[in-house]
């Protein structure tokens, strides 16, 4: 045993060294990850109860609420509507964003495409623009009185749909997220494509396979793990959409204060001062994110790798 | 016609080396360029829009520039005693200091996890890594109430501290240390009498530098883009980062439309530093999420 461990740096030195190196990370993790999660859990099972006349700060006390907050969140019409809205939003956004990212990544990987450097950098550029700023820019582009699209269409006598009113605002928000996210996902996929040794598909090309066939039959299956990861990260981000609708709110009449689940959490915690309901709702969102991610992973793995046995 | 368009874009020296089967494809190039134009559109728009005064923004053709860019910048600078530039400085502080501290903390932890054997290592790594999947929503609100109890909300600390630890950064640092810092080199340095922390700073850090740049950039962009945390934590608008500041300005704009030209100019000025940083460092953005490796 000693012959093995002397090769390892930690064995001869004090055992404290790795722990010293991990110390800042662990302390910060406990304070800003572990403690908040536990605290949210605790709050989500409590409620505030009025004692006596409920006057003054001593008039309220915190009592155990069981699952009451969860039940009221799951039966709250506003919250359920926001969940449905985000579902539609995700169904529009995720396939479009990942489909385009994959298309662009494959085109970048093709030897027959030109102007690659320019396109790659330009498509990735929106990743550097914060969601608030991109919502603001697109918000003005959607605003009929400012937008160049409306201006140009008017000259041809066409009236464009106002994406800031009615249900169409979901499309407007999806477009903002698409703009911000397509480049990042493209780069992730492109990096995986670059890692494939070219001799794998050079042989197929010599046998007469077209570029499209090579992409569909060889490249996409090989980078499947990257595609799955980008999909999971997209699901996680989608369910937490917050900055875009909050920024568009002053420009649109159809964004309520409970438009997305996170906006509902924010309203409960800070407008209604009901941190208990807000905690229960955020636990529900977190569980939904975990469940969806794992469900997706299961389904995809069965589809993608199930045929191997 | 299509062929001439494409060949004009192709460098002659390259055209010679390309085999007939790999001639440039007009279609592929066009699709990619349409994607690029879509991504440029809002940025081109804001360049034109920021040259217009409040009235012109609503009345003139979008892609005809006006002459008010400088007036707008002056007006933005004078807005409540230079509050806008305060927001920019705040953002630079949050993102710069936060990302730097995060890189140090992540690389130390990643190095310890990659190069030492100790009891509890697997548990520590698993727990830290699980943090990647924790959605921000269940953190931000309790972080607010926990920080409120020690009186730190509405201070710089409230935005800085929660964003230093980055599970993904620690993960990248561990993977990259394993791949790029040979244990033999560490052993040799130790034989020469170097202490562990000296080895870390003098030997491991230079070898890990491409990964460190990636971790720094990820965290920098993450903090710069973060809206919810400062939106929740801060009440005093002199502490706002640019995202929360411009959001507030846009909110006021719905009752005072003259502020819209300030918002537009503010948006343009705020993306310049990040876009510049991004263009300079874009070669470091080669991240393989699937394999978990960094190629730089």
């Amino acid at each position: 045993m000693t012959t093995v461990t002397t090769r390892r740096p930690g064995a001869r030195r004090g055992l404290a060294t790795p722990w010293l190196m991990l110390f800042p990370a662990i302390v910060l993790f406990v304070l800003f990850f572990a403690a908040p999660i536990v605290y949210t859990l605790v709050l989500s099972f409590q409620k505030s109860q009025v004692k006596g006349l409920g006057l003054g700060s001593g008039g309220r006390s915190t009592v155990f609420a069981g699952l009451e907050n969860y039940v009221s969140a799951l039966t709250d019409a506003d919250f359920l509507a926001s969940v449905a809205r985000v579902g539609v939003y995700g169904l529009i956004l995720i396939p479009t964003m990942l489909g385009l990212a994959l298309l662009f990544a494959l085109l970048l990987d093709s030897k027959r495409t030109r102007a690659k450097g320019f396109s790659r950098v330009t498509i990735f550029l929106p990743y550097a623009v914060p969601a608030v700023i991109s919502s603001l820019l697109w918000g003005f582009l959607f605003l009929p009185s400012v937008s160049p699209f409306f201006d140009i269409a008017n000259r041809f006598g066409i009236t464009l749909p106002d994406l800031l009113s009615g249900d169409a605002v979901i499309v407007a928000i999806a477009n903002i997220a698409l703009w911000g996210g397509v480049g990042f996902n493209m780069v992730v996929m492109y990096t995986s494509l670059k890692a494939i040794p070219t001799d794998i598909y050079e042989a197929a090309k010599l046998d007469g396979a077209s570029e499209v066939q090579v992409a569909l039959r060889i490249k996409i299956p090989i980078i499947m793990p990257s595609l799955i990861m980008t999909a999971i990260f997209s699901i996680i981000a989608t369910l937490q959409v917050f900055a875009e609708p909050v920024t568009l709110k002053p420009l649109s009449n159809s964004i309520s204060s409970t438009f997305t689940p996170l906006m509902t959490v924010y309203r409960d915690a800070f407008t209604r001062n009901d941190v208990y309901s807000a905690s229960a709702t955020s636990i529900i969102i977190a569980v939904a994110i975990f469940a969806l991610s794992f469900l997706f992973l299961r389904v995809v793995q069965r589809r993608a790798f199930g045929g191997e046995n | 016609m299509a062929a001439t368009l494409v060949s004009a874009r192709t460098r002659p020296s390259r055209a010679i080396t390309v085999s007939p089967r790999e001639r440039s494809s007009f279609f592929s190039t066009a699709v990619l360029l349409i994607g690029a134009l879509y991504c440029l559109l809002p940025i081109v728009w804001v360049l034109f829009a920021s040259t217009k005064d409040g009235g012109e923004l609503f009345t003139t053709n979008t892609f005809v520039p006006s002459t008010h860019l400088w007036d707008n910048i002056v007006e933005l600078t004078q807005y409540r005693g230079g509050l806008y530039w305060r927001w920019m400085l705040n953002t630079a502080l949050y993102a710069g200091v936060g990302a730097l501290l995060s890189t140090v903390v992540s690389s130390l932890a990643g190095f310890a996890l990659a190069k030492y054997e100790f009891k509890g290592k697997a548990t520590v790594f698993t727990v830290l890594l699980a943090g990647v999947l924790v959605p921000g929503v269940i953190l931000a609100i309790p972080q607010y109430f926990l920080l409120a109890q020690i009186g730190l909300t509405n201070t710089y600390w409230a935005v800085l501290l929660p964003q230093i630890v980055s599970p993904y950064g620690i993960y990248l640092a561990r993977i990259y240390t394993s791949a790029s810092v040979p244990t033999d080199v560490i052993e040799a340095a130790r034989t020469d009498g170097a202490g562990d922390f000296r080895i870390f700073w003098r030997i491991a850090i230079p070898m890990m530098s491409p990964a460190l740049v990636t971790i720094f950039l990820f965290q920098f962009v993450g903090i710069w883009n973060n809206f919810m945390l400062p939106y929740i934590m801060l009440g005093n608008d002199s502490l706002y980062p640019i995202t929360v500041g411009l959001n507030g300005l846009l909110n006021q704009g719905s009752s005072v439309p003259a502020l819209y030209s300030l918002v537009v100019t503010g948006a343009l000025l705020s993306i310049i530093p990040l876009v510049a940083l991004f263009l300079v460092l874009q070669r470091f953005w080669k991240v393989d999420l699937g394999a978990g490796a960094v190629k730089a």
Side-chain angles (χ1 to χ4, degrees), chain A:
Chain A
M1 173 163 170
T2 44
T3 48
V4 178
T5 46
T6 44
R7 296 288 306 158
R8 294 194 175 138
R12 283 186 299 149
R13 301 261 156 175
L15 279 168
T17 310
W19 288 109
L20 270 177
M21 290 178 168
L22 281 164
F23 183 73
I26 291 175
V27 168
L28 289 166
F29 187 87
V30 167
L31 285 177
F32 295 107
F33 274 80
I37 293 171
V38 172
Y39 191 53
T40 310
L41 269 172
V42 170
L43 287 174
S44 74
F45 292 108
Q46 293 179 337
K47 64 178 175 182
S48 168
Q49 204 171 49
V50 179
K51 255 194 303 195
L53 288 169
L55 299 170
S57 59
R60 287 182 161 270
S61 66
T62 306
V63 294
F64 181 72
L67 291 172
E68 211 176 289
N69 294 325
Y70 288 90
V71 172
S72 61
L74 288 172
T75 50
D76 176 40
D78 286 343
F79 176 67
L80 293 178
S82 73
V83 171
R85 221 172 271 130
V86 161
V88 173
Y89 165 76
L91 287 176
I92 297 171
L93 171 64
I94 297 175
T96 316
M97 179 172 73
L98 297 184
L100 281 175
L102 180 61
L103 173 70
F104 292 154
L106 287 168
L107 291 175
L108 279 180
D109 196 49
S110 160
K111 284 184 180 154
R112 300 179 58 193
T113 310
R114 297 291 169 258
K116 283 186 205 176
F118 170 77
S119 298
R120 185 171 56 91
V121 172
T122 311
I123 296 173
F124 192 29
L125 201 60
Y127 182 62
V129 180
V132 170
I133 311 290
S134 55
S135 305
L136 210 146
L137 299 182
W138 279 106
F140 282 116
L141 286 170
F142 294 141
L143 204 64
S145 56
V146 181
S147 170
F149 305 126
F150 285 84
D151 195 27
I152 293 164
N154 278 341
R155 277 160 214 241
F156 291 98
I158 306 163
T159 314
L160 291 174
D162 181 3
L163 286 181
L164 291 177
S165 67
D167 291 335
V169 78
I170 292 180
V171 178
I173 297 171
N175 174 68
I176 296 168
L178 168 75
W179 186 76
V182 72
F184 176 76
N185 289 296
M186 175 192 77
V187 166
V188 170
M189 294 173 190
Y190 179 59
T191 309
S192 314
L193 284 171
K194 285 303 248 189
I196 304 174
T198 47
D199 47 335
I200 290 184
Y201 48 80
E202 284 306 327
K205 276 190 186 168
L206 287 177
D207 290 343
S210 71
E211 192 105 18
V212 175
Q213 282 174 321
V214 169
L216 291 178
R217 302 270 176 85
I218 300 175
K219 290 182 179 178
I220 292 177
I222 291 180
I223 64 161
M224 198 47 90
S226 287
L227 299 180
I228 294 169
M229 289 309 287
T230 52
I232 290 178
F233 282 121
S234 304
I235 292 172
I236 294 175
T238 299
L239 290 175
Q240 298 191 73
V241 57
F242 182 73
E244 292 89 348
V246 169
T247 308
L248 281 186
K249 203 166 176 280
L251 299 176
S252 167
N253 290 325
S254 37
I255 298 177
S256 62
S257 59
T258 57
F259 193 75
T260 74
L262 246 66
M263 289 173 76
T264 311
V265 171
Y266 181 85
R267 183 206 57 176
D268 286 350
F270 296 103
T271 312
R272 291 189 170 173
N273 287 317
D274 183 1
V275 67
Y276 310 102
S277 295
S279 298
T281 311
S282 47
I283 296 280
I284 292 171
I285 298 168
V287 169
I289 288 173
F290 276 121
L292 265 179
S293 308
F294 282 110
L295 187 75
F296 177 79
L297 203 58
R298 291 291 297 268
V299 170
V300 167
Q301 279 179 335
R302 202 167 298 160
R303 284 263 177 86
F305 310 112
E308 284 175 359
N309 297 327

